[in-house]
Short mmCIF file of all heavy atoms in Angstrom, two decimals:
data_model
loop_
_atom_site.label_atom_id
_atom_site.label_comp_id
_atom_site.label_asym_id
_atom_site.label_seq_id
_atom_site.Cartn_x
_atom_site.Cartn_y
_atom_site.Cartn_z
N MET G 1 62.76 84.80 -31.94
CA MET G 1 62.06 84.62 -33.19
C MET G 1 62.89 83.41 -33.70
O MET G 1 64.04 83.32 -33.79
CB MET G 1 62.18 85.86 -33.96
CG MET G 1 61.37 85.85 -35.25
SD MET G 1 61.74 87.23 -36.40
CE MET G 1 60.62 88.44 -35.67
N LEU G 2 61.97 82.49 -34.32
CA LEU G 2 62.47 81.35 -35.04
C LEU G 2 62.89 81.76 -36.38
O LEU G 2 62.18 81.40 -37.33
CB LEU G 2 61.50 80.18 -34.97
CG LEU G 2 61.10 79.72 -33.60
CD1 LEU G 2 60.05 78.63 -33.67
CD2 LEU G 2 62.20 79.12 -32.78
N THR G 3 63.95 82.30 -36.66
CA THR G 3 64.40 82.54 -37.95
C THR G 3 65.80 81.98 -38.19
O THR G 3 66.79 82.49 -37.65
CB THR G 3 64.41 84.02 -38.24
OG1 THR G 3 63.22 84.55 -37.83
CG2 THR G 3 64.61 84.41 -39.76
N TYR G 4 65.91 80.95 -38.99
CA TYR G 4 67.27 80.50 -39.57
C TYR G 4 67.20 80.44 -41.00
O TYR G 4 67.49 79.40 -41.58
CB TYR G 4 67.53 79.13 -38.81
CG TYR G 4 68.02 79.26 -37.53
CD1 TYR G 4 67.18 79.04 -36.33
CD2 TYR G 4 69.38 79.59 -37.35
CE1 TYR G 4 67.54 79.17 -35.18
CE2 TYR G 4 69.78 79.67 -35.94
CZ TYR G 4 68.96 79.51 -34.95
OH TYR G 4 69.47 79.70 -33.61
N GLY G 5 66.83 81.63 -41.67
CA GLY G 5 66.77 81.54 -43.13
C GLY G 5 66.20 82.83 -43.41
O GLY G 5 66.33 83.89 -42.59
N ARG G 6 65.62 82.95 -44.61
CA ARG G 6 65.20 84.35 -45.01
C ARG G 6 63.64 84.65 -44.40
O ARG G 6 63.36 85.84 -44.50
CB ARG G 6 64.98 84.31 -46.53
CG ARG G 6 66.44 84.33 -47.14
CD ARG G 6 66.23 84.25 -48.73
NE ARG G 6 67.51 84.29 -49.27
CZ ARG G 6 67.88 84.80 -50.48
NH1 ARG G 6 66.76 85.31 -51.11
NH2 ARG G 6 69.08 84.82 -50.92
N ARG G 7 62.98 83.65 -44.10
CA ARG G 7 61.61 83.79 -43.73
C ARG G 7 61.43 83.56 -42.30
O ARG G 7 62.09 82.92 -41.56
CB ARG G 7 60.76 82.82 -44.60
CG ARG G 7 61.08 83.10 -46.13
CD ARG G 7 60.35 82.10 -46.95
NE ARG G 7 58.85 82.42 -47.01
CZ ARG G 7 58.20 82.79 -47.97
NH1 ARG G 7 58.89 83.05 -49.09
NH2 ARG G 7 56.97 82.96 -47.94
N ASN G 8 60.21 84.21 -41.71
CA ASN G 8 59.82 83.98 -40.45
C ASN G 8 58.91 82.69 -40.28
O ASN G 8 58.35 82.31 -41.28
CB ASN G 8 59.03 85.13 -39.92
CG ASN G 8 59.89 86.29 -39.66
OD1 ASN G 8 61.08 86.30 -39.49
ND2 ASN G 8 59.16 87.51 -39.52
N CYS G 9 58.92 82.11 -39.07
CA CYS G 9 58.13 80.95 -38.90
C CYS G 9 56.73 81.25 -38.48
O CYS G 9 56.51 81.90 -37.52
CB CYS G 9 58.79 80.20 -37.68
SG CYS G 9 57.84 78.64 -37.28
N VAL G 10 55.83 80.84 -39.30
CA VAL G 10 54.35 81.18 -39.05
C VAL G 10 53.84 80.54 -37.87
O VAL G 10 52.77 80.76 -37.56
CB VAL G 10 53.46 80.99 -40.27
CG1 VAL G 10 53.79 81.91 -41.46
CG2 VAL G 10 53.60 79.53 -40.84
N GLY G 11 54.58 79.42 -37.43
CA GLY G 11 54.03 78.47 -36.45
C GLY G 11 54.69 78.85 -35.10
O GLY G 11 54.47 78.17 -34.05
N GLU G 12 55.43 79.93 -35.10
CA GLU G 12 56.20 80.23 -33.87
C GLU G 12 55.33 80.45 -32.61
O GLU G 12 55.56 79.83 -31.57
CB GLU G 12 57.09 81.46 -33.93
CG GLU G 12 57.74 81.82 -32.62
CD GLU G 12 58.73 82.93 -32.84
OE1 GLU G 12 59.10 83.38 -33.88
OE2 GLU G 12 59.28 83.25 -31.81
N SER G 13 54.19 81.16 -32.68
CA SER G 13 53.43 81.37 -31.53
C SER G 13 52.69 80.04 -30.98
O SER G 13 52.57 79.79 -29.84
CB SER G 13 52.47 82.47 -31.54
OG SER G 13 51.80 82.46 -32.83
N LEU G 14 52.34 79.21 -32.08
CA LEU G 14 51.67 77.98 -31.73
C LEU G 14 52.69 77.06 -31.07
O LEU G 14 52.39 76.36 -29.97
CB LEU G 14 51.21 77.19 -33.03
CG LEU G 14 50.63 75.88 -32.76
CD1 LEU G 14 49.43 75.81 -31.95
CD2 LEU G 14 50.39 75.17 -34.17
N ALA G 15 53.86 77.02 -31.62
CA ALA G 15 54.92 76.21 -30.99
C ALA G 15 55.29 76.61 -29.52
O ALA G 15 55.44 75.80 -28.63
CB ALA G 15 56.10 76.17 -31.83
N ARG G 16 55.37 77.92 -29.30
CA ARG G 16 55.62 78.38 -27.97
C ARG G 16 54.55 78.09 -26.93
O ARG G 16 54.72 77.68 -25.86
CB ARG G 16 55.78 79.90 -27.97
CG ARG G 16 57.21 80.30 -28.54
CD ARG G 16 57.42 81.89 -28.41
NE ARG G 16 58.51 82.26 -29.08
CZ ARG G 16 59.82 82.17 -28.66
NH1 ARG G 16 59.99 81.65 -27.50
NH2 ARG G 16 60.71 82.57 -29.36
N MET G 17 53.32 78.27 -27.39
CA MET G 17 52.14 77.89 -26.57
C MET G 17 52.24 76.52 -26.19
O MET G 17 51.86 76.02 -25.22
CB MET G 17 50.86 78.29 -27.30
CG MET G 17 50.47 79.78 -27.19
SD MET G 17 48.82 80.17 -27.71
CE MET G 17 48.74 79.77 -29.44
N GLU G 18 52.38 75.52 -27.23
CA GLU G 18 52.40 74.13 -27.00
C GLU G 18 53.43 73.76 -25.99
O GLU G 18 53.22 72.97 -25.12
CB GLU G 18 52.57 73.40 -28.32
CG GLU G 18 51.44 73.43 -29.29
CD GLU G 18 50.10 72.77 -28.75
OE1 GLU G 18 50.23 71.85 -27.88
OE2 GLU G 18 48.94 73.19 -29.16
N LEU G 19 54.80 74.31 -26.25
CA LEU G 19 55.81 74.02 -25.34
C LEU G 19 55.34 74.44 -23.90
O LEU G 19 55.71 73.78 -22.90
CB LEU G 19 57.13 74.74 -25.76
CG LEU G 19 57.83 74.00 -26.86
CD1 LEU G 19 59.00 74.90 -27.39
CD2 LEU G 19 58.42 72.64 -26.36
N TYR G 20 54.84 75.64 -23.82
CA TYR G 20 54.41 76.16 -22.42
C TYR G 20 53.36 75.14 -21.73
O TYR G 20 53.59 74.70 -20.65
CB TYR G 20 53.72 77.48 -22.64
CG TYR G 20 53.30 78.09 -21.27
CD1 TYR G 20 54.16 78.67 -20.34
CD2 TYR G 20 51.85 77.98 -21.03
CE1 TYR G 20 53.64 79.19 -19.13
CE2 TYR G 20 51.40 78.49 -19.87
CZ TYR G 20 52.29 79.10 -18.83
OH TYR G 20 51.85 79.49 -17.59
N LEU G 21 52.50 74.68 -22.50
CA LEU G 21 51.40 73.86 -21.90
C LEU G 21 51.98 72.45 -21.62
O LEU G 21 51.74 71.95 -20.55
CB LEU G 21 50.27 73.62 -22.89
CG LEU G 21 49.40 74.88 -23.20
CD1 LEU G 21 48.48 74.64 -24.22
CD2 LEU G 21 48.70 75.26 -21.83
N PHE G 22 52.99 71.90 -22.38
CA PHE G 22 53.45 70.66 -22.25
C PHE G 22 54.45 70.66 -21.02
O PHE G 22 54.32 69.79 -20.13
CB PHE G 22 54.28 70.26 -23.56
CG PHE G 22 54.92 68.96 -23.41
CD1 PHE G 22 54.06 67.79 -23.65
CD2 PHE G 22 56.33 68.72 -23.33
CE1 PHE G 22 54.66 66.44 -23.53
CE2 PHE G 22 56.75 67.48 -23.26
CZ PHE G 22 56.00 66.33 -23.43
N ILE G 23 55.25 71.60 -20.96
CA ILE G 23 56.25 71.69 -19.88
C ILE G 23 55.51 72.03 -18.57
O ILE G 23 55.82 71.44 -17.46
CB ILE G 23 57.41 72.70 -20.18
CG1 ILE G 23 58.20 72.17 -21.24
CG2 ILE G 23 58.25 72.94 -19.02
CD1 ILE G 23 59.18 73.18 -21.92
N THR G 24 54.59 72.84 -18.50
CA THR G 24 53.88 73.25 -17.21
C THR G 24 53.11 72.03 -16.89
O THR G 24 53.02 71.75 -15.59
CB THR G 24 52.98 74.42 -17.26
OG1 THR G 24 52.24 74.30 -18.50
CG2 THR G 24 53.71 75.75 -17.26
N ALA G 25 52.52 71.34 -17.78
CA ALA G 25 51.75 70.10 -17.29
C ALA G 25 52.60 69.02 -16.76
O ALA G 25 52.28 68.39 -15.72
CB ALA G 25 50.98 69.54 -18.51
N LEU G 26 53.79 68.89 -17.30
CA LEU G 26 54.71 67.91 -16.68
C LEU G 26 55.10 68.26 -15.25
O LEU G 26 55.12 67.41 -14.35
CB LEU G 26 56.03 67.83 -17.49
CG LEU G 26 56.07 67.09 -18.83
CD1 LEU G 26 57.40 67.07 -19.49
CD2 LEU G 26 55.56 65.69 -18.54
N VAL G 27 55.46 69.65 -15.07
CA VAL G 27 55.95 70.15 -13.78
C VAL G 27 54.78 70.18 -12.76
O VAL G 27 55.02 69.78 -11.54
CB VAL G 27 56.53 71.54 -13.93
CG1 VAL G 27 56.83 72.16 -12.52
CG2 VAL G 27 57.83 71.37 -14.86
N GLN G 28 53.54 70.30 -13.10
CA GLN G 28 52.43 70.31 -12.24
C GLN G 28 52.19 68.90 -11.86
O GLN G 28 51.76 68.63 -10.68
CB GLN G 28 51.09 70.82 -12.94
CG GLN G 28 50.97 72.27 -12.95
CD GLN G 28 49.90 72.85 -13.68
OE1 GLN G 28 49.26 72.05 -14.53
NE2 GLN G 28 49.57 74.15 -13.65
N ARG G 29 52.25 67.81 -12.73
CA ARG G 29 51.85 66.59 -12.39
C ARG G 29 52.91 65.62 -11.86
O ARG G 29 52.62 64.62 -11.23
CB ARG G 29 51.26 65.89 -13.64
CG ARG G 29 49.94 66.50 -13.83
CD ARG G 29 49.39 66.07 -15.27
NE ARG G 29 48.47 67.21 -15.71
CZ ARG G 29 47.73 67.21 -16.74
NH1 ARG G 29 47.76 66.08 -17.48
NH2 ARG G 29 47.00 68.13 -17.10
N LEU G 30 54.13 65.97 -12.19
CA LEU G 30 55.21 65.11 -11.83
C LEU G 30 56.18 65.73 -10.75
O LEU G 30 56.44 66.88 -10.83
CB LEU G 30 55.99 64.64 -12.98
CG LEU G 30 55.27 63.83 -14.08
CD1 LEU G 30 56.06 63.66 -15.32
CD2 LEU G 30 54.76 62.48 -13.58
N GLN G 31 56.67 64.89 -9.96
CA GLN G 31 57.82 65.27 -9.03
C GLN G 31 59.04 64.74 -9.65
O GLN G 31 59.16 63.35 -9.86
CB GLN G 31 57.60 64.69 -7.70
CG GLN G 31 58.26 65.51 -6.53
CD GLN G 31 58.13 64.78 -5.13
OE1 GLN G 31 57.21 63.91 -5.05
NE2 GLN G 31 58.82 65.25 -4.29
N LEU G 32 60.01 65.44 -10.00
CA LEU G 32 61.25 64.95 -10.79
C LEU G 32 62.32 64.88 -9.68
O LEU G 32 62.80 65.83 -9.16
CB LEU G 32 61.55 65.87 -11.93
CG LEU G 32 60.46 65.94 -13.03
CD1 LEU G 32 60.83 66.95 -14.02
CD2 LEU G 32 60.13 64.70 -13.75
N LEU G 33 62.83 63.69 -9.59
CA LEU G 33 63.88 63.32 -8.46
C LEU G 33 65.01 62.64 -9.13
O LEU G 33 64.75 61.95 -10.22
CB LEU G 33 63.28 62.58 -7.35
CG LEU G 33 62.21 63.21 -6.62
CD1 LEU G 33 61.36 62.13 -5.79
CD2 LEU G 33 62.55 64.27 -5.84
N PRO G 34 66.21 62.60 -8.37
CA PRO G 34 67.28 61.74 -9.02
C PRO G 34 66.88 60.37 -8.75
O PRO G 34 66.04 60.01 -7.93
CB PRO G 34 68.53 62.15 -8.17
CG PRO G 34 68.02 63.05 -7.03
CD PRO G 34 66.64 63.44 -7.33
N PRO G 35 67.59 59.30 -9.36
CA PRO G 35 67.38 57.92 -9.06
C PRO G 35 67.59 57.72 -7.51
O PRO G 35 68.39 58.35 -6.97
CB PRO G 35 68.29 57.17 -9.95
CG PRO G 35 68.73 58.23 -10.99
CD PRO G 35 68.67 59.52 -10.39
N GLU G 36 66.88 56.54 -7.10
CA GLU G 36 67.01 56.27 -5.62
C GLU G 36 68.59 56.01 -5.37
O GLU G 36 69.27 55.36 -6.08
CB GLU G 36 66.23 55.17 -5.32
CG GLU G 36 64.93 55.47 -4.65
CD GLU G 36 63.88 54.45 -4.33
OE1 GLU G 36 63.47 53.83 -5.29
OE2 GLU G 36 63.82 54.16 -3.18
N GLY G 37 69.01 56.62 -4.19
CA GLY G 37 70.30 56.31 -3.76
C GLY G 37 71.32 57.27 -4.42
O GLY G 37 72.51 57.20 -4.14
N LYS G 38 70.85 58.08 -5.44
CA LYS G 38 71.85 58.87 -6.02
C LYS G 38 71.50 60.42 -5.76
O LYS G 38 70.30 60.70 -5.38
CB LYS G 38 71.75 58.74 -7.66
CG LYS G 38 72.33 57.48 -8.03
CD LYS G 38 72.47 57.38 -9.57
CE LYS G 38 73.03 56.00 -9.93
NZ LYS G 38 73.16 55.86 -11.35
N THR G 39 72.52 61.37 -5.95
CA THR G 39 72.22 62.72 -5.73
C THR G 39 72.30 63.40 -7.11
O THR G 39 72.86 62.93 -7.95
CB THR G 39 73.13 63.41 -4.68
OG1 THR G 39 74.45 63.05 -5.11
CG2 THR G 39 73.02 62.93 -3.24
N LEU G 40 71.63 64.59 -7.03
CA LEU G 40 71.60 65.33 -8.34
C LEU G 40 72.65 66.42 -8.22
O LEU G 40 72.77 67.14 -7.31
CB LEU G 40 70.22 65.97 -8.39
CG LEU G 40 69.90 66.74 -9.68
CD1 LEU G 40 69.86 65.78 -10.80
CD2 LEU G 40 68.54 67.46 -9.50
N ASN G 41 73.51 66.54 -9.20
CA ASN G 41 74.58 67.59 -9.29
C ASN G 41 74.09 68.74 -10.29
O ASN G 41 74.25 68.56 -11.38
CB ASN G 41 75.89 67.01 -9.76
CG ASN G 41 77.05 68.07 -9.78
OD1 ASN G 41 76.77 69.12 -9.26
ND2 ASN G 41 78.10 67.70 -10.38
N ILE G 42 73.50 69.74 -9.48
CA ILE G 42 73.00 70.76 -10.37
C ILE G 42 74.04 71.74 -10.89
O ILE G 42 73.72 72.61 -11.69
CB ILE G 42 71.89 71.56 -9.65
CG1 ILE G 42 72.47 72.22 -8.37
CG2 ILE G 42 70.68 70.71 -9.37
CD1 ILE G 42 71.56 73.33 -7.78
N ASN G 43 75.26 71.52 -10.50
CA ASN G 43 76.45 72.32 -11.03
C ASN G 43 76.95 71.63 -12.29
O ASN G 43 77.96 72.25 -12.81
CB ASN G 43 77.47 72.49 -9.92
CG ASN G 43 76.87 73.30 -8.76
OD1 ASN G 43 76.16 74.21 -8.93
ND2 ASN G 43 77.27 72.83 -7.52
N GLU G 44 76.47 70.56 -12.68
CA GLU G 44 77.05 69.84 -13.88
C GLU G 44 76.64 70.61 -15.15
O GLU G 44 75.49 70.84 -15.52
CB GLU G 44 76.39 68.53 -13.95
CG GLU G 44 76.77 67.73 -15.17
CD GLU G 44 78.25 67.20 -15.21
OE1 GLU G 44 78.59 66.31 -14.47
OE2 GLU G 44 78.98 67.72 -16.04
N ILE G 45 77.59 71.27 -15.74
CA ILE G 45 77.32 72.14 -16.89
C ILE G 45 77.89 71.52 -18.18
O ILE G 45 77.67 72.11 -19.34
CB ILE G 45 77.73 73.59 -16.67
CG1 ILE G 45 79.24 73.72 -16.47
CG2 ILE G 45 76.89 74.32 -15.76
CD1 ILE G 45 79.86 75.02 -16.79
N ASP G 46 78.66 70.42 -18.02
CA ASP G 46 79.17 69.71 -19.24
C ASP G 46 78.06 69.29 -20.04
O ASP G 46 77.09 68.75 -19.60
CB ASP G 46 80.15 68.64 -18.85
CG ASP G 46 81.48 69.11 -18.52
OD1 ASP G 46 81.77 70.27 -18.65
OD2 ASP G 46 82.23 68.29 -17.99
N GLY G 47 78.13 69.49 -21.40
CA GLY G 47 77.01 68.95 -22.22
C GLY G 47 77.62 68.33 -23.50
O GLY G 47 78.79 68.18 -23.54
N VAL G 48 76.75 67.97 -24.47
CA VAL G 48 77.09 67.57 -25.75
C VAL G 48 76.76 68.52 -26.77
O VAL G 48 75.74 69.02 -26.90
CB VAL G 48 76.34 66.19 -26.05
CG1 VAL G 48 76.85 65.52 -27.36
CG2 VAL G 48 76.50 65.16 -24.94
N LEU G 49 77.88 68.96 -27.41
CA LEU G 49 77.67 70.10 -28.41
C LEU G 49 77.43 69.59 -29.83
O LEU G 49 78.04 68.64 -30.27
CB LEU G 49 78.86 70.95 -28.60
CG LEU G 49 78.87 72.24 -27.80
CD1 LEU G 49 80.13 73.18 -28.05
CD2 LEU G 49 77.77 73.09 -28.11
N GLY G 50 76.41 69.99 -30.44
CA GLY G 50 75.84 69.55 -31.88
C GLY G 50 75.28 70.78 -32.39
O GLY G 50 75.64 71.83 -32.20
N LEU G 51 74.15 70.41 -32.99
CA LEU G 51 73.25 71.57 -33.44
C LEU G 51 72.77 72.46 -32.29
O LEU G 51 72.65 73.58 -32.34
CB LEU G 51 72.13 71.01 -34.25
CG LEU G 51 71.22 72.10 -34.94
CD1 LEU G 51 72.04 72.83 -35.96
CD2 LEU G 51 69.99 71.45 -35.52
N THR G 52 72.57 71.82 -31.19
CA THR G 52 72.31 72.42 -29.95
C THR G 52 73.23 71.89 -28.80
O THR G 52 74.10 71.12 -29.09
CB THR G 52 70.83 71.96 -29.43
OG1 THR G 52 70.74 70.60 -29.24
CG2 THR G 52 69.75 72.50 -30.45
N HIS G 53 73.22 72.57 -27.64
CA HIS G 53 73.94 72.10 -26.60
C HIS G 53 73.12 71.42 -25.54
O HIS G 53 72.30 71.98 -24.76
CB HIS G 53 74.65 73.30 -25.92
CG HIS G 53 75.58 73.06 -24.81
ND1 HIS G 53 76.07 73.76 -23.82
CD2 HIS G 53 76.39 71.91 -24.70
CE1 HIS G 53 76.82 73.28 -23.04
NE2 HIS G 53 77.14 72.14 -23.50
N LYS G 54 73.15 70.10 -25.60
CA LYS G 54 72.26 69.27 -24.83
C LYS G 54 72.92 68.65 -23.68
O LYS G 54 74.11 68.41 -23.77
CB LYS G 54 71.49 68.19 -25.68
CG LYS G 54 72.40 67.16 -26.28
CD LYS G 54 71.63 66.06 -27.06
CE LYS G 54 72.57 65.19 -27.62
NZ LYS G 54 71.95 63.99 -28.38
N PRO G 55 72.16 68.33 -22.66
CA PRO G 55 72.87 67.68 -21.54
C PRO G 55 73.35 66.20 -21.80
O PRO G 55 72.78 65.62 -22.71
CB PRO G 55 71.75 67.58 -20.35
CG PRO G 55 70.49 67.92 -21.03
CD PRO G 55 70.79 68.46 -22.47
N LYS G 56 74.33 65.86 -21.08
CA LYS G 56 74.81 64.46 -21.21
C LYS G 56 73.70 63.53 -20.89
O LYS G 56 72.77 63.91 -19.98
CB LYS G 56 75.99 64.13 -20.37
CG LYS G 56 77.28 64.84 -20.74
CD LYS G 56 78.42 64.27 -19.92
CE LYS G 56 79.58 65.05 -19.98
NZ LYS G 56 80.48 64.88 -18.71
N PRO G 57 73.62 62.21 -21.32
CA PRO G 57 72.51 61.32 -20.89
C PRO G 57 72.49 61.30 -19.27
O PRO G 57 73.50 61.28 -18.64
CB PRO G 57 73.02 60.07 -21.38
CG PRO G 57 73.85 60.34 -22.56
CD PRO G 57 74.58 61.60 -22.06
N PHE G 58 71.29 61.27 -18.70
CA PHE G 58 71.09 61.17 -17.38
C PHE G 58 69.82 60.50 -16.99
O PHE G 58 68.93 60.28 -17.91
CB PHE G 58 71.05 62.83 -16.73
CG PHE G 58 69.93 63.51 -17.32
CD1 PHE G 58 68.66 63.59 -16.63
CD2 PHE G 58 70.06 64.17 -18.43
CE1 PHE G 58 67.66 64.30 -17.16
CE2 PHE G 58 69.04 65.00 -18.93
CZ PHE G 58 67.84 64.99 -18.33
N GLU G 59 69.70 60.08 -15.71
CA GLU G 59 68.60 59.36 -15.30
C GLU G 59 67.77 60.23 -14.26
O GLU G 59 68.31 60.95 -13.49
CB GLU G 59 68.91 58.08 -14.58
CG GLU G 59 69.54 57.11 -15.54
CD GLU G 59 69.82 55.78 -14.88
OE1 GLU G 59 70.26 55.78 -13.67
OE2 GLU G 59 69.79 54.76 -15.34
N ILE G 60 66.48 60.17 -14.37
CA ILE G 60 65.54 60.84 -13.34
C ILE G 60 64.54 59.82 -12.95
O ILE G 60 64.21 58.93 -13.65
CB ILE G 60 64.95 62.06 -13.88
CG1 ILE G 60 64.12 61.97 -15.10
CG2 ILE G 60 65.96 63.16 -14.06
CD1 ILE G 60 63.19 63.09 -15.40
N ARG G 61 63.88 60.25 -11.79
CA ARG G 61 62.75 59.45 -11.41
C ARG G 61 61.69 60.42 -11.43
O ARG G 61 61.59 61.42 -10.88
CB ARG G 61 63.07 59.04 -9.85
CG ARG G 61 62.13 58.01 -9.21
CD ARG G 61 63.01 57.32 -8.07
NE ARG G 61 63.66 58.27 -7.21
CZ ARG G 61 63.25 58.50 -5.90
NH1 ARG G 61 62.18 57.89 -5.47
NH2 ARG G 61 63.97 59.32 -5.21
N ALA G 62 60.60 59.90 -12.08
CA ALA G 62 59.39 60.77 -12.08
C ALA G 62 58.10 60.13 -11.39
O ALA G 62 57.81 59.02 -11.65
CB ALA G 62 58.96 60.94 -13.60
N ILE G 63 57.80 60.90 -10.32
CA ILE G 63 56.67 60.36 -9.46
C ILE G 63 55.35 61.27 -9.72
O ILE G 63 55.55 62.50 -9.66
CB ILE G 63 57.08 60.36 -8.00
CG1 ILE G 63 58.26 59.39 -7.80
CG2 ILE G 63 55.98 59.97 -7.07
CD1 ILE G 63 59.02 59.46 -6.48
N LEU G 64 54.32 60.59 -9.77
CA LEU G 64 52.96 61.41 -9.92
C LEU G 64 52.81 62.21 -8.58
O LEU G 64 52.95 61.54 -7.57
CB LEU G 64 51.75 60.44 -10.07
CG LEU G 64 51.54 60.03 -11.54
CD1 LEU G 64 50.40 59.15 -11.56
CD2 LEU G 64 51.30 61.25 -12.47
N ARG G 65 52.49 63.41 -8.52
CA ARG G 65 52.28 64.29 -7.36
C ARG G 65 50.95 63.71 -6.72
O ARG G 65 50.04 63.45 -7.46
CB ARG G 65 52.08 65.75 -7.76
CG ARG G 65 53.54 66.34 -8.03
CD ARG G 65 53.35 67.80 -8.22
NE ARG G 65 54.72 68.41 -8.69
CZ ARG G 65 55.63 68.87 -7.88
NH1 ARG G 65 55.44 68.92 -6.70
NH2 ARG G 65 56.64 69.38 -8.49
C1 LIG K 1 60.12 74.36 -32.20
C2 LIG K 1 59.25 74.38 -33.32
C3 LIG K 1 59.56 75.09 -34.55
C4 LIG K 1 60.82 75.57 -34.95
C5 LIG K 1 62.06 75.53 -34.31
C6 LIG K 1 60.66 76.20 -36.32
C7 LIG K 1 61.50 76.89 -37.02
C8 LIG K 1 61.36 77.41 -38.22
C9 LIG K 1 62.27 78.15 -38.98
C10 LIG K 1 63.67 78.39 -38.55
C11 LIG K 1 61.62 78.65 -40.17
C12 LIG K 1 62.28 79.46 -41.26
C13 LIG K 1 62.77 78.70 -42.29
C14 LIG K 1 63.31 79.53 -43.42
O1 LIG K 1 63.76 80.69 -43.30
O2 LIG K 1 63.45 78.96 -44.59
C15 LIG K 1 60.26 78.18 -40.14
C16 LIG K 1 59.31 78.46 -41.05
C17 LIG K 1 58.10 77.87 -41.01
N1 LIG K 1 57.56 77.21 -40.13
FE1 LIG K 1 58.34 76.67 -38.41
N2 LIG K 1 59.27 76.13 -36.63
C18 LIG K 1 58.63 75.45 -35.52
C19 LIG K 1 57.28 75.20 -35.46
C20 LIG K 1 56.30 75.36 -36.47
C21 LIG K 1 54.93 74.88 -36.40
C22 LIG K 1 54.22 74.27 -35.13
C23 LIG K 1 54.41 75.24 -37.50
C24 LIG K 1 52.96 75.07 -37.95
C25 LIG K 1 51.87 74.69 -37.27
C26 LIG K 1 55.35 75.83 -38.33
C27 LIG K 1 55.29 76.16 -39.61
C28 LIG K 1 56.17 76.86 -40.49
C29 LIG K 1 55.92 77.35 -41.76
C30 LIG K 1 54.78 77.15 -42.57
C31 LIG K 1 57.15 78.04 -42.17
C32 LIG K 1 57.40 78.67 -43.54
C33 LIG K 1 57.08 80.03 -43.50
C34 LIG K 1 57.37 80.82 -44.72
O3 LIG K 1 58.12 80.34 -45.53
O4 LIG K 1 56.85 81.93 -44.93
N3 LIG K 1 56.66 75.88 -37.67
N4 LIG K 1 60.07 77.42 -38.83
#
């Protein structure tokens, strides 16, 4: 539930549906690969802590399927 205050978010189900559609459309249409000549380290868990814990800057190659 998106609650960081006294009230609930009335847009939560819309936001969840939009995120679902956006992310599934990306995964369906694109092949996500590391940059040419580089390997992907999926064990890399270091990130940048702030309001959220986000990954460090990284590069990817997105190819249309
Ligand atoms: C990832 C997207 C979103 C996040 C993280 C989020 C987060 C929140 C949070 C934490 C609150 C509660 C604030 C409080 O207690 O004062 C809130 C309230 C609210 N949100 Fe969202 N929200 C999102 C998307 C949306 C969308 C898409 C809409 C509308 C289409 C929306 C409309 C509202 C409204 C109108 C309130 C006030 C509800 C009230 O005071 O009764 N939100 N949101």
Side-chain angles (χ1 to χ4, degrees):
M1 189 186 276
L2 298 175
T3 310
Y4 278 98
R6 293 180 174 207
R7 305 172 74 109
N8 286 342
C9 174
V10 292
E12 178 171 351
S13 47
L14 175 66
R16 283 187 191 279
M17 281 190 296
E18 291 293 339
L19 279 172
Y20 176 79
L21 292 173
F22 183 74
I23 293 166
T24 47
L26 282 183
V27 172
Q28 277 175 348
R29 287 167 208 189
L30 299 172
Q31 202 182 351
L32 300 173
L33 302 166
E36 263 177 289
K38 292 192 179 172
T39 51
L40 185 67
N41 179 8
I42 59 167
N43 296 318
E44 173 73 69
I45 57 164
D46 282 349
V48 183
L49 261 182
L51 188 61
T52 59
H53 187 203
K54 64 179 182 181
K56 286 186 196 162
F58 61 93
E59 292 181 327
I60 57 162
R61 192 157 46 110
I63 297 172
L64 277 176
R65 285 183 188 271

